[in-house]
Amino acid sequence: VMHTVFVLFCWFVLNQYFVRTHNVVELNPNNFDSQILRKEFSFVEFYSPWCGHCVHFRPTWERFSQEIQDMPEIDSLLMVAKVDCTAHSSFCSKHKIQGFPTLKLFAHSEEKATFDGARTISMMMMFLKKHKVPIFDAPIYQENIKRTRKNSNTTSLRRREDRILSTPEIELSAIEASSTNDTFMKSVSSPQELEQLFSNSKWSLVIFYLDHSWKWKHYYKVFNFIAEGLLKSKDSLTETNIPIPALPINCDQFDDFCQSHNVSKASALPILALFELDSLKQKYFGLMNITHIYSFIEDLTNVVIPLHSTEIQSNRTTHVVSMRSWWHEI
């Protein structure tokens, strides 16, 4: 009897470990219906262990799940899950799965949509927003938006969400042509220096990166471009200057700091995050677009960031600079 109890106990422990490995819920035909009814929405990956694309996508999916877990308001509404179609082929056929990985969004037990975009965190976030999952309706966003709108008029805020949708994209070369040799990001060489920089400013934009990453090297001038604008930010009420420092954090050098904020070297770096003093306020999940990044910061901080040199000349036409959604590409 004791042997049977021990075996059952071990089975239970192992089952709990594998069912929620890396915060991704493992679904099967027996628990699928009951699990997806637990939350208002479920985002489910149908995969096969032998699929190369699935293996390549796994770290992104696990990180996406972790980011959802880090936002309690969203985690209470959305479950991130997966189904092994090799083990449950008939079940996957029932859901008309024809390739791997396939991502499907469910509202309770009803299938709402199949994701067909680039399998990046930013694109998956935008997909959820498109299908009415309140990714950007969490209190952390709405509280600041309401406060900002109450204290400021629309003109001074320059709400640019709609305008940017019709704005032509400018190549990186145009940004390089307009930039100077000045460095606007603040270099950080030690934990003590980072602590001091946090204490000097209420708000900071942290850029988690790896020094050897081609994305960091290729887009360094774009980050510097963003940093220049942040140094000119103003309080939306008093119009006094409230510079927001941009702090590049090398995760090779600051591994403990990065790990403490759920940023690993295996993550799709660089990653942007807004800090209030030394506490993480919010990670950025939107389109990798300069005006969207500025709007994200404005909504959370109640500051206004002048467009300044983001309106640049390219082929004698003034455009607003934007970046491609390269950030979380796999």
Side-chain angles (χ1 to χ4, degrees):
V1 175
M2 291 300 295
H3 176 73
T4 302
V5 172
F6 178 73
V7 169
L8 289 174
F9 174 76
C10 291
W11 175 87
F12 175 80
V13 171
L14 290 172
N15 181 64
Q16 291 301 305
Y17 175 79
F18 286 110
V19 162
R20 202 172 178 91
T21 304
H22 294 285
N23 301 306
V24 178
V25 179
E26 183 77 52
L27 300 179
N28 58 59
N30 296 325
N31 70 1
F32 187 89
D33 292 336
S34 60
Q35 286 286 337
I36 66 172
L37 287 174
R38 292 179 58 197
K39 297 187 179 181
E40 187 173 348
F41 298 96
S42 298
F43 201 16
V44 182
E45 176 200 12
F46 294 85
Y47 76 101
S48 176
W50 52 258
C51 165
H53 293 297
C54 300
V55 174
H56 194 52
F57 176 59
R58 180 180 174 181
T60 301
W61 189 238
E62 290 175 349
R63 181 169 162 263
F64 172 78
S65 176
Q66 184 60 58
E67 299 293 1
I68 296 297
Q69 289 265 315
D70 289 344
M71 296 186 288
E73 305 93 344
I74 306 303
D75 184 49
S76 64
L77 298 173
L78 176 68
M79 176 177 70
V80 179
K82 61 183 179 179
V83 176
D84 183 347
C85 289
T86 298
H88 310 293
S89 57
S90 298
F91 181 76
C92 292
S93 296
K94 174 184 173 183
H95 285 276
K96 300 178 181 178
I97 305 302
Q98 299 178 334
F100 307 120
T102 295
L103 309 179
K104 287 182 177 287
L105 177 66
F106 294 83
H108 292 303
S109 59
E110 179 185 353
E111 182 181 323
K112 283 182 66 74
T114 300
F115 178 77
D116 61 357
R119 290 188 291 270
T120 66
I121 288 181
S122 59
M123 292 301 290
M124 290 188 290
M125 288 289 186
M126 295 308 294
F127 167 79
L128 295 176
K129 182 181 179 183
K130 176 183 176 182
H131 291 285
K132 312 303 181 184
V133 181
I135 289 293
F136 302 113
D137 293 338
I140 195 170
Y141 283 94
Q142 292 306 307
E143 179 184 343
N144 285 281
I145 291 172
K146 289 177 181 177
R147 186 186 72 241
T148 302
R149 287 176 177 171
K150 179 180 178 181
N151 294 339
S152 309
N153 59 58
T154 304
T155 303
S156 65
L157 277 176
R158 301 177 333 279
R159 306 296 300 174
R160 294 161 284 183
E161 180 79 16
D162 296 330
R163 193 173 80 189
I164 195 62
L165 295 178
S166 59
T167 300
E169 184 181 49
I170 305 301
E171 294 296 332
L172 178 62
S173 58
I175 299 175
E176 292 177 338
S178 69
S179 9
T180 66
N181 292 323
D182 297 329
T183 299
F184 298 99
M185 290 184 288
K186 294 184 179 295
S187 62
V188 184
S189 58
S190 67
Q192 294 75 20
E193 185 177 4
L194 178 60
E195 185 178 344
Q196 183 63 44
L197 287 169
F198 278 145
S199 65
N200 289 342
S201 303
K202 180 178 181 181
W203 303 104
S204 302
L205 181 69
V206 169
I207 305 168
F208 295 98
Y209 76 99
L210 291 175
D211 194 46
H212 59 267
S213 165
W214 71 267
K215 288 180 179 177
W216 168 250
K217 294 176 181 178
H218 191 62
Y219 288 94
Y220 176 87
K221 288 192 175 182
V222 176
F223 292 122
N224 198 47
F225 200 84
I226 292 171
E228 180 185 3
L230 293 179
L231 293 178
K232 299 177 182 179
S233 60
K234 297 178 181 295
D235 184 277
S236 61
L237 272 181
T238 64
E239 295 192 355
T240 54
N241 187 229
I242 304 179
I244 298 177
L247 309 177
I249 300 298
N250 185 349
C251 288
D252 281 326
Q253 181 180 356
F254 292 88
D255 185 52
D256 290 343
F257 179 78
C258 294
Q259 293 283 354
S260 69
H261 293 93
N262 295 317
V263 177
S264 69
K265 295 179 184 179
S267 303
L269 300 173
I271 294 173
L272 293 183
L274 184 69
F275 277 68
E276 184 174 7
L277 297 176
D278 61 351
S279 298
L280 174 64
K281 180 74 172 179
Q282 186 68 43
K283 291 178 183 176
Y284 178 71
F285 297 114
L287 293 173
M288 290 308 123
N289 167 303
I290 289 177
T291 53
H292 280 210
I293 293 171
Y294 281 171
S295 293
F296 160 77
I297 296 170
E298 286 177 337
D299 287 343
L300 291 175
T301 62
N302 205 29
V303 303
V304 173
I305 306 166
L307 281 176
H308 67 290
S309 58
T310 57
E311 290 188 356
I312 65 174
Q313 292 292 328
S314 176
N315 298 325
R316 299 183 180 179
T317 304
T318 301
H319 300 291
V320 179
V321 175
S322 63
M323 293 186 289
R324 292 189 177 95
S325 300
W326 52 267
W327 216 284
H328 298 291
E329 290 174 357
I330 57 177

